[in-house]
Amino acid sequence: MKFSYEWLRELVPGLDVPPAELTARITMKTAECEGVESFAPWLERVCAARVIEVTPIEGSHNVVARIDAGPEFGERQVVCGAPNCRTGLVTAYVPAGLSLGSRQIRRALVAGHDSDGMLASGAELGINRDAEGVLELPQDTAPGTAVAAPDWVIEVDNKSLTHRPDLWGHHGMAREVAAFSGLPLKDPVDLTLVPAAGHEWTVEIEDFAAAPRYSALVFENVTVGPSPAWMQARLEALDLNPISNIVDVTNLVMAELAQPMHAFDLDKLHGKKIIVRHAKEGESFAALNGESYTLAPRHIVIADESGAIALGGVIGGAGSAISAGTTRIVLESANFDAATIRKTSSELKLRTDASMRFEKAQDPVNTTRALARAVELFQDVSPGIRLVGGLIDAWKPAPAPAPIELPLDWLDQKLGLAVPAERVRAILESLEFRVEEARPGVFAVHVPSWRATKDITIKDDLLEEVGRVIGYAEVPLEAPLQPVRRPWVNRERLYHHEVREMTAAQGFTEVSNYSFVSEEMARRFGFAPDDHLRVANPISIEQGLMRLSLLPGMHRCVTENAKRFDEFRLFEIGSEIHKRAGALPDEIPHFMAALYRKQGDGSAALLELKRLADCLLPGAAARPAEARGYEHPARSAEVVWRGETLGRLYELHPALLEAGRAAVLDLDLRKAFEMGPEPKRYTPLRRFPGSSFDLSVVAGLRVLAGDLIASIRAATGECCDAVEYLYSYRGQPLAEDRQSLSFRITVSAADHTFSNEELTAIRNGVMDALRAQGFDLRA
Amino acid sequence: MSIADTLTELETRAAALLDDAEDAEALETARVEFLGRKGALAGISKEMGRLTPEERAQVGRLLNGVKQNLEARYETRKAGFERAALDARLAGEWLDLTLPAPGPRPGRLHPLTQIMRELEDLFTSLGFAVVDGPEVETEWYNFDALNIPPAHPARDAQDTFWMEDGHLLRTHTSPVQVRAMERFGAPLRIIAPGRVFRNEELDASHEHTFYQLEGMMVDRHVSVGHMLYFMKSLLAAIFGREVTVRLRPGFFPFVEPGFELDIQCLLCGGKGCPVCKQSGWVELLPCGLVHPNVLRAGGLDPEEWNGFAFGLGLTRLVMMRYGIDDIRHLAAGDLRFLRQF
């Protein structure tokens, strides 16, 4: 929302603060300003001039114009290319030496003739968008007088105004400025200009909840033409496109009082009744913007006998628009339900200056104020205009809300500052709240209608009013007194951090991938898109599904980094999102590590990840598992910890990589956390040293070392301390389908050291057991 | 020649041989010759039987003296040879320590993780619990419970990812306020760091996925002054120096009053520079006193309890701290970026 600095100054007489300072104060007291910019500073020097004589230039569309530019500039000669440059025209003169923004105006020879300055169009001056010809000013404009005034435009962040319907007009902002500057506020409205007597036209509202009020006036003897340059400049400064005197007045009143208005050409309406009703299903509506909309009953239309003439609170209709020939108008000033307008406008993707205001919950009391202001302005811009009859109005006023009780000790306590009662009263009254003393120490505060629609309903809202006007810089800092209490400990989160640190210490770098995957990514890894929770409104297909696995994201990181690095280690902790019918999805925290190497056969990487699993889950075992589609068909295992399957260890299917190999470890961190660390228990240290012996077992090529270790352990029995894998061997003298696996077995007893005889007996026992299982043993 | 003379002559000869031995082998030969079991000294002591007891005592003392002298010389030379042998061996083990060391280095934690841990530790030390909330949320927790009813214009400001099942991706960490009140009741001190989502086009400064840290303190009689004190202490800890803060009005439906908290620009000290757009102040975080409707949604009586809440943009903080110019680096997984932290 843009505010004119000069306009605010008109509404707050005596305001004498430079634009930048005012902008800073508004930011500190009311709403965040995004900046302040100078508007058309050249207008200071641009003046009206009368064309005395026009001489065509042969072979050029330009003419030489002799002008009277008033007392300061006197008679000048300019070369002008505008088609409307004619003798007697009163237009805008830009003296040489002035710059219009980036355009420097110089005295120069144009088409062989001296041109001392220039005549300018509204667009060149920046006061409207008309570039067809030079600006046409009223004949009675005295040469030398200013065309319009320069200004400063303060831009306020719309997000900081969503709760303030009143700040969508200058008068509302002026009230703020007056309040925090300690100055009086000028009310531009003279309500006596709206006679109460009605009119032969009537209004009927079908649903007062959707449209609480509809007020209108009828005017005749209207002349449609351009509005005065000052008005156009003001609208242009605020980005409101000047159109015609009648439309410009409706926009100016909106910019001043936050009340959107609309003027209909009465002669294009049918009947003598305005009906505010829900649209019919499929009702078609041609809007002012040239678009056609298909409506539904949840939309509100303004209709006459023949059909919709406006989309209520959003936009007027094409069929009843003001045109050059309009002589009679109906001027609408209505009020609509905020939620209805917001829904309509977002559904039809049609945001207008009107809908933006109505969706903030405008004040129904304001409709007649806006009409009164328009009556006054019409008289200036359309001389001879006549009001016919008086106010046409349909309104079911809501009962005034009960006053809000404001206990002053509560206010002091919550603010952390003792504010004298009289100061509280003065602040609230400067914002036009009515303050009574309900009982000692408690104010009863009546909320003005323009703050009562939604903004202010509870005492906390009043606290903010008082606090911001005083300024929070006055509030002394105070340490909160809190009982000493140990906070709840989020052990699961701490566990994740431990896993992160352990993994990083092993050389892995953390990545943070999106929670989204695309359908294509999901399919590539064999995940069915329909198993995923779907995003209903993704911006791109990349965000179509919620991830069911960290793998697609990790795969992307691996392939991207593989373009630059021959070897690297990555990991991520993030949630898998599993949809559940009728409930929030199950978000399961997972850990995934990946080790990529461009060279080698990939086996070392898998074993390194197995070691990582063992670091994170001490004693974790890998149990060969049937490979999934994205896994190397012969290199895939489940990770088993204390009897529970916690994840998978595998090599990524090499077809998923352009080059190199990637090993992947995927763990369910929730399960790991819930199982908790293995309980720690002390066992007395053995007093007698252990003894060890080595065995080499000849076995088939796919016999698992893990199985052999388990067999050896079982065969050794209770005295077994450790079975350590040493190495494996293939080749002579073994058969081609045989390998030899060597182990070192350590045994000990609690009460003595084994003798050689005992050791031999144990060793023979183990060998016998292994032979019984069909294994050969090498010496 | 008397035995004594023989001994003296022998001692001189042996001392010379031991002292001048060229290597350990020559030394050992000399030792065997004189000090060995069948050596010269042993031979002399065998002859002692032929002496008178008086002579024997005298020669015995003499013999011992010579023996000790020669043994000491031998040990000294032996140690010398051993040292020299060790030195020679070690000299051969010269190693070029400028060679690069093999093996993986510790990896890096993501910069967001690092800042989250830092803040979690800080808040834990202040008595706050660290609470998690789900990424996929209900409309109730994300909006309604936070005093943002349907059709509230504030919903516009937060472009929401909706799920096909009617849930949504949380647009802020604020839903955890209500979840925490339900779970822990009052008094309450929590932070909730985590991932949030906005349905926005990606560019250098806009992400659809980013991180926030929600903070909330609920107690009896919490005031704006308490909040200011707390924020100032907190920010001093985050930035590692004293900061000047100011509050100005800000609209967020779940707080009343609501504030934008600015800090005086740390770069220019408030004089005005490009970072603070010449204003001397940098907008840092939204905060406010918890709206009574939010307390009610969390099951607390606003007449009994109140509190303050704030939201810290972790992604923005990380970018500020390291001067990161493109938000997209954070999720790109590029090691050239990640290894810098």
Side-chain angles (χ1 to χ4, degrees), chain A residues 548-559:
Chain A
L548 265 179
S549 162
L550 306 193
L551 182 59
M554 185 59 82
H555 174 260
R556 187 191 58 78
C557 291
V558 167
T559 50

Side-chain angles (χ1 to χ4, degrees), chain A residues 286-306:
Chain A
L288 265 177
N289 60 3
E291 302 285 324
S292 187
Y293 298 92
T294 306
L295 306 179
R298 55 191 176 278
H299 309 133
I300 294 294
V301 295
I302 314 303
D304 65 5
E305 263 179 12
S306 68

Side-chain angles (χ1 to χ4, degrees), chain A residues 435-446:
Chain A
V435 180
E436 292 165 352
E437 186 161 4
R439 48 187 185 278
V442 180
F443 282 161
V445 181
H446 299 261

Side-chain angles (χ1 to χ4, degrees), chain B residues 206-245:
Chain B
H206 294 91
E207 249 289 10
H208 52 65
T209 301
F210 52 99
Y211 283 76
Q212 285 185 343
L213 183 143
E214 194 78 8
M216 185 188 214
M217 177 190 282
V218 175
D219 213 311
R220 298 169 209 276
H221 312 305
V222 176
S223 73
V224 175
H226 292 142
M227 187 183 78
L228 266 169
Y229 174 92
F230 181 82
M231 288 298 164
K232 199 169 144 62
S233 324
L234 171 70
L235 295 172
I238 290 178
F239 290 103
R241 57 202 269 197
E242 281 304 305
V243 292
T244 307
V245 301

